[in-house]
Amino acid sequence: MQTVLCYGDSNTYGYSPVDGERWSKGIRWTGILKDLLGADYEVIEEGCNGRTTILEVPSDVWKNGLTYLKPCLNSHKPIDYFVMMLGTNDLKFQFGVGAKEVAKGAETLVEEVKDFSDSKNVKLPKIILISPPYIGEGICQSPFGNDFDEKSVIESKKFAKYYEEVANRQGCIFVDAAKAVMPSLEDSLHLMPSEHKKLAHKIYEVIKSN
């Protein structure tokens, strides 16, 4: 049995842009991925709405992806694949950072995975680093327009460049989610069922070839 840990934010959690609820397991990309991989794989969903890479959310400090990472790794070890898609929430204008800084945050998390494996003497999982989908052009008119702005849209389109650089430095498998999926027209941020399916198939292909 191989373990695939999917670490992310609301698009890993399966937030529905239609009603703010959670898509069912059969719709979420993580659930579809489990079906595609079959009985020899365990897919663990660790998605949290609003999670950042390393940034503190004053009202919800537990949404810092760095703070929770090592406890999460320890709970699920040994891990064969660590699949991470984080960074969108870092582009909220309250943080004032751009794509390059966000990618550095993602790199810190990758280094944390490596450090954990060394310190606990467990095998290092294959790390699949996913640069998040673009933020849609209509974000300012969406329910999340109080958090994101036009700069967020622009910076999200730079994710792939900087994340790929991190992947190359750290020896990760790189995936550009924006080449596979697009955000919904409903809120310019979250994925509709069709996009969850596309992302699941993309990650399936990557895992099976690595």
Side-chain angles (χ1 to χ4, degrees):
M1 177 73 73
Q2 296 200 63
T3 298
V4 181
L5 176 61
C6 300
Y7 195 69
D9 54 27
S10 52
N11 273 325
T12 297
Y13 169 82
Y15 181 97
S16 166
V18 176
D19 57 14
E21 298 296 323
R22 190 182 192 187
W23 293 121
S24 67
K25 196 173 187 69
I27 290 177
R28 300 195 295 269
W29 70 265
T30 47
I32 298 171
L33 178 63
K34 166 59 181 172
D35 291 340
L36 291 170
L37 289 170
D40 292 334
Y41 291 80
E42 179 183 14
V43 176
I44 299 170
E45 301 175 292
E46 281 286 358
C48 174
N49 295 337
R51 178 178 283 152
T52 64
T53 57
I54 63 172
L55 300 176
E56 285 289 321
V57 181
S59 60
D60 295 308
V61 295
W62 46 271
K63 291 185 177 181
N64 183 328
L66 180 60
T67 303
Y68 178 62
L69 181 54
K70 280 187 175 178
C72 179
L73 294 170
N74 195 57
S75 293
H76 300 300
K77 68 180 189 288
I79 299 164
D80 297 283
Y81 293 89
F82 179 76
V83 183
M84 184 174 76
M85 186 170 72
L86 277 174
T88 299
N89 290 303
D90 297 52
L91 290 182
K92 291 178 178 179
F93 53 71
Q94 73 181 88
F95 297 122
V97 300
K100 187 173 184 179
E101 291 79 15
V102 178
K104 288 180 180 177
E107 186 164 19
T108 297
L109 296 180
V110 170
E111 291 171 342
E112 192 83 342
V113 174
K114 292 182 175 182
D115 179 72
F116 175 83
S117 297
D118 287 341
S119 65
K120 292 299 182 182
N121 196 29
V122 295
K123 71 174 181 179
L124 178 67
K126 294 181 180 179
I127 301 173
I128 301 175
L129 180 62
I130 307 174
S131 61
Y134 297 153
I135 296 173
E137 300 289 343
I139 191 67
C140 293
Q141 289 75 48
S142 89
F144 297 93
N146 291 329
D147 294 315
F148 299 91
D149 56 13
E150 292 87 350
K151 182 182 177 183
S152 306
V153 176
I154 294 169
E155 290 298 315
S156 73
K157 294 179 180 179
K158 301 176 185 177
F159 272 152
K161 167 183 166 58
Y162 294 116
Y163 275 58
E164 187 170 20
E165 290 176 358
V166 170
N168 290 338
R169 279 196 300 270
Q170 296 291 341
C172 304
I173 303 162
F174 172 69
V175 175
D176 179 2
K179 286 187 175 180
V181 301
M182 59 188 298
S184 68
L185 295 177
E186 281 77 4
D187 70 4
S188 298
L189 203 63
H190 297 103
L191 305 179
M192 293 293 282
S194 60
E195 308 309 288
H196 276 274
K197 184 176 182 179
K198 291 174 187 175
L199 184 58
H201 279 268
K202 178 62 179 178
I203 303 306
Y204 168 76
E205 292 169 2
V206 171
I207 289 175
K208 294 303 286 185
S209 61
N210 288 279

